[in-house]
Amino acid sequence: MFATSIFASSAVEATIFPSKVTFFLANGLYKEVHLQEGEEVLNYSNKAYVPLRLFAESSSALVKYTQASPGTDNKHIIDVHYDAEEALLEQTSNAADNKLLEDSKELQLQDMFVSLLLPHMKEKLAEVYSDVISIPPVLIQIP
């Protein structure tokens, strides 16, 4: 009689994936991210993995981490909080890291059209989703 043992491993084999990471933000802005030591992009099964905190904070979010404990069902808790209005304002005001691209005439006309419709869009969205959400949706026009 032979006994066979099978061990499940939680180790993952990945390779460091030297990368240039650029986040394209609202209104034609973009932000190049300079990776620090310990913030390497990884390649696992032909997919690139960017560190969550780097990704979230580069797009103006706040990340809160809670270590696994019996109170969290022994699971790590990662909360990513976006404040849409604050994030968009930060993206447009942070000229040192963001570069503004010139808008085409077509895009400028679309912006003007949306400016006229924005109050009506906000009202209709709040009406349509009133049974699903408790606060009205936030629609923001970036100057």
Side-chain angles (χ1 to χ4, degrees):
M1 198 188 275
F2 295 97
T4 303
S5 298
I6 298 175
F7 294 97
S9 173
S10 62
V12 173
E13 288 188 34
T15 56
I16 294 178
F17 192 60
S19 303
K20 176 182 173 186
V21 179
T22 305
F23 292 95
F24 291 88
L25 309 169
N27 204 26
L29 299 172
Y30 65 93
K31 184 176 191 175
E32 288 184 24
V33 178
H34 302 285
L35 300 171
Q36 306 297 318
E37 190 171 327
E39 293 181 331
E40 291 87 2
V41 175
L42 300 177
N43 182 341
Y44 173 70
S45 295
N46 289 328
K47 294 180 183 171
Y49 289 85
V50 177
L52 177 62
R53 183 176 296 276
L54 171 70
F55 178 83
E57 290 178 352
S58 293
S59 55
S60 302
L62 174 66
V63 179
K64 181 183 174 197
Y65 170 75
T66 306
Q67 191 168 0
S69 69
T72 63
D73 292 330
N74 294 317
K75 294 182 181 176
H76 300 275
I77 306 296
I78 302 169
D79 295 324
V80 180
H81 298 271
Y82 281 95
D83 180 345
E85 186 170 0
E86 183 177 317
L88 290 174
L89 289 174
E90 180 181 324
Q91 290 170 9
T92 56
S93 66
N94 190 358
D97 290 337
N98 298 310
K99 298 172 179 90
L100 186 59
L101 304 176
E102 188 174 323
D103 288 341
S104 66
K105 289 286 183 193
E106 181 181 0
L107 187 55
Q108 291 174 5
L109 290 172
Q110 289 175 358
D111 287 348
M112 289 172 46
F113 184 67
V114 169
S115 296
L116 294 171
L117 295 177
L118 194 60
H120 305 288
M121 292 166 60
K122 285 180 181 180
E123 183 179 308
K124 190 64 177 176
L125 280 170
E127 176 187 326
V128 168
Y129 291 105
S130 64
D131 60 334
V132 179
I133 58 176
S134 58
I135 57 172
V138 177
L139 293 176
I140 303 167
Q141 180 183 8
I142 300 180

